[in-house]
Amino acid sequence: MAKYLLLKHYRGAPAAVNDVPMDQWTPEELSAHLQYMDDFAARLEATGEFVDAQALLPEGTFVRSDGPGRPPVTDGPFVETKDLIAGWMVIDVDSYARALELAGELSAAPGAGGKPINEWLEVRPFMTAPPTITE
């Protein structure tokens, strides 16, 4: 089994087919979308392929250390992951082909007008070992 991260983007990916921003959806459209996501995750839980999923709020801050004994430094606003990543799902599947199959299915979650979003999702494999360095 191999783990993959399925990333849902606010921006940065090509436009979805049904490209109506979520804040313009009706309560019913939002509810249908969330139910699709819940049902998808439940089906993957039943097959043992689901690991975790989270939707992210747009708030966030970059933080870095400014040295021992000093408070952390924050910065922004500028293009950050909060502007790009809407949420994610981690799956644990037998093959890359299965990861692509599931990402394609997740892409079809309903959006405005109840029509599939057909959004682009980023599929990223988890690193299982340090990269090999060749000289």
Side-chain angles (χ1 to χ4, degrees):
M1 300 286 276
K3 289 183 181 163
Y4 291 87
L5 178 65
L6 308 180
L7 284 172
K8 296 175 68 68
H9 292 272
Y10 284 121
R11 320 182 270 180
V17 173
N18 185 0
D19 195 24
V20 177
M22 191 178 275
D23 62 359
Q24 296 176 20
W25 296 359
T26 67
E28 294 78 17
E29 291 165 345
L30 181 57
S31 179
H33 179 81
L34 295 175
Q35 187 63 56
Y36 182 97
M37 302 297 285
D38 288 345
D39 292 346
F40 184 82
R43 189 168 49 86
L44 295 185
E45 280 183 295
T47 64
E49 295 172 307
F50 180 81
V51 176
D52 193 18
Q54 298 293 323
L56 301 173
L57 294 172
E59 296 86 29
T61 304
F62 265 115
V63 178
R64 73 170 173 85
S65 169
D66 201 26
R70 300 182 69 183
V73 177
T74 63
D75 199 4
F78 47 86
V79 176
E80 304 172 14
T81 57
K82 69 180 183 187
D83 296 321
L84 302 174
I85 301 173
W88 49 267
M89 180 177 284
V90 177
I91 57 174
D92 193 359
V93 294
D94 288 328
S95 66
Y96 179 67
R98 179 66 175 153
L100 295 180
E101 176 186 341
L102 292 174
E105 195 174 326
L106 187 60
S107 165
K115 297 177 183 166
I117 299 170
N118 293 335
E119 66 184 324
W120 290 90
L121 298 177
E122 186 176 354
V123 178
R124 307 250 329 249
F126 276 41
M127 184 184 300
T128 57
T132 304
I133 299 174
T134 58
E135 294 181 29

